[in-house]
Amino acid sequence: MSCTYDVVIIGGGPSGLSAALALGRGRKRVLLCDAGPRRNAAAIHMQNFVTRDGTPPDEFRQIARGQLASYANVTIRDTGVSTVSGERNAFSVQLSVGDEVRARRILLATGMVDEMLPIEGFRELWGRSIFQCPYCHGWEIQDKRWGYLVQPENAAHAAPFSLLASGFTTRRLTVFGDLPRDVRAQLHAADIAIVATPVRRLRSHDGQLAAVELTNGTENPCEALFVHPPQHQVALVQSLGLAVEDGYLKVDPMTRETSRRGIYASGDLTTRMQSAIIAAASGMQAAAAINMELSADLMSAM
Ligand SMILES: Cc1cc2nc3c(=O)[nH]c(=O)nc-3n(C[C@H](O)[C@H](O)[C@H](O)COP(=O)(O)OP(=O)(O)OC[C@H]3O[C@@H](n4cnc5c(N)ncnc54)[C@H](O)[C@@H]3O)c2cc1C
């Protein structure tokens, strides 16, 4: 065992970086480990983060790391974490690069993994013409032809997102999916087009979506497709056996502690309400709760 940290933060996206800043300012000894690939790896710009609207995601991370460099008590390592064992005040954290460190508290900020749909062209267009969030991408493409590809598990709840997306574009939205009758009626009433025939492939031109091809061979011109593919937790989080709800980690709403004492979580892995600024805010919240707890430990040791 080489080092004992007050907190090991696992994940160096907006959430983990924000937590590191708050804990650094609180004079805690922090190690932040980041394995590299970020959730928005395919995205060219990060939008809708006040003061950072339009910043490339890698630049956002570099600015954060640059600011953290002022805090000598915060160490950043570009390494994955493969296992976490032990208990509150005495966790062992195994780094992928080989060494093991100790930590009093753990903060998981590992994001979520988006699953690529088995549709030809999907993976290549993800983050370029295929999006999840109109707040992140809608403004820049408002005059393009938009589609919303509904996943079967979301069909009963397709109306609210369709209506929301419709408000972001100047064109008529097309919804692709086999929808229940009441949802179809709601979309018709809102002048939203519906295509029930399954999608066979996505045709692109110059690296951008051009059309959605159906299994009956017809093509629907479409330049931006909104989709909510399934997501899963990274292997490390799965291995911890923490309580989840709909696949997202359950946390205490005030402290962000998970079902295991001493392990906290912030950012995308705890919610489907996913955006960089929300992830950053929840990282700060977790950091403040952890710092409060560490201070309470000192009191009880007196
Ligand atoms: C294509 C796309 C575009 C988007 N565009 C926007 C946008 O414009 N604006 C916006 O607000 N939001 C956008 N989002 C959402 C935004 O990217 C996320 O909400 C945000 O990145 C979540 O931050 P996070 O810190 O929770 O997780 P992430 O940013 O995903 O960071 C998690 C980090 O943890 C690391 N990690 C995972 N496992 C381990 C491990 N075992 N050990 C060490 N490190 C590990 C990963 O490598 C990653 O770096 C977009 C998402 C996608 C998919």
Side-chain angles (χ1 to χ4, degrees), residues 19-79:
L21 181 60
L23 286 162
R25 293 179 64 76
R27 302 183 62 248
K28 292 297 165 289
R29 191 148 191 251
V30 176
L31 173 66
L32 182 149
C33 298
D34 187 59
R38 51 187 165 77
R39 175 142 179 265
N40 54 354
I44 296 159
H45 297 110
M46 185 190 73
Q47 311 287 354
N48 200 40
F49 194 121
V50 68
T51 76
R52 297 282 169 227
D53 195 32
T55 305
D58 282 336
E59 192 180 320
F60 175 88
R61 286 184 174 215
Q62 278 162 18
I63 294 168
R65 283 180 175 224
Q67 292 179 346
L68 285 169
S70 315
Y71 301 87
N73 47 325
V74 176
T75 303
I76 299 181
R77 293 186 66 181
D78 288 315
T79 173

Side-chain angles (χ1 to χ4, degrees), residues 192-205:
I192 293 171
I194 302 170
V195 173
T197 310
V199 172
R200 179 193 286 153
R201 74 176 183 117
L202 304 172
R203 194 170 58 71
S204 55
H205 179 69

Side-chain angles (χ1 to χ4, degrees), residues 61-100:
R61 286 184 174 215
Q62 278 162 18
I63 294 168
R65 283 180 175 224
Q67 292 179 346
L68 285 169
S70 315
Y71 301 87
N73 47 325
V74 176
T75 303
I76 299 181
R77 293 186 66 181
D78 288 315
T79 173
V81 167
S82 44
T83 58
V84 172
S85 55
E87 58 188 35
R88 189 170 176 268
N89 282 326
F91 289 109
S92 298
V93 179
Q94 177 67 53
L95 309 185
S96 310
V97 286
D99 42 331
E100 198 172 15

Side-chain angles (χ1 to χ4, degrees), residues 112 231 244-248:
M112 289 297 276
Q231 300 185 319
V244 294
E245 193 169 333
D246 294 335
Y248 300 95

Side-chain angles (χ1 to χ4, degrees), residues 9-17 32-49 53-55 57 61 77-83 96 108-114 126-128 130-133 135-137 231 234-237 266-270 273-280 282:
I9 300 172
I10 308 173
S15 198
L17 289 164
L32 182 149
C33 298
D34 187 59
R38 51 187 165 77
R39 175 142 179 265
N40 54 354
I44 296 159
H45 297 110
M46 185 190 73
Q47 311 287 354
N48 200 40
F49 194 121
D53 195 32
T55 305
R61 286 184 174 215
R77 293 186 66 181
D78 288 315
T79 173
V81 167
S82 44
T83 58
S96 310
L108 302 171
T110 47
M112 289 297 276
V113 180
D114 296 297
W126 172 252
R128 303 196 173 272
I130 303 179
F131 310 110
Q132 296 187 106
C133 163
Y135 293 97
C136 301
H137 306 283
Q231 300 185 319
V234 301
L236 170 72
V237 173
S266 62
D268 282 6
L269 79 166
T270 61
M273 185 76 192
Q274 297 169 347
S275 88
I277 200 163
I278 294 175
S282 70

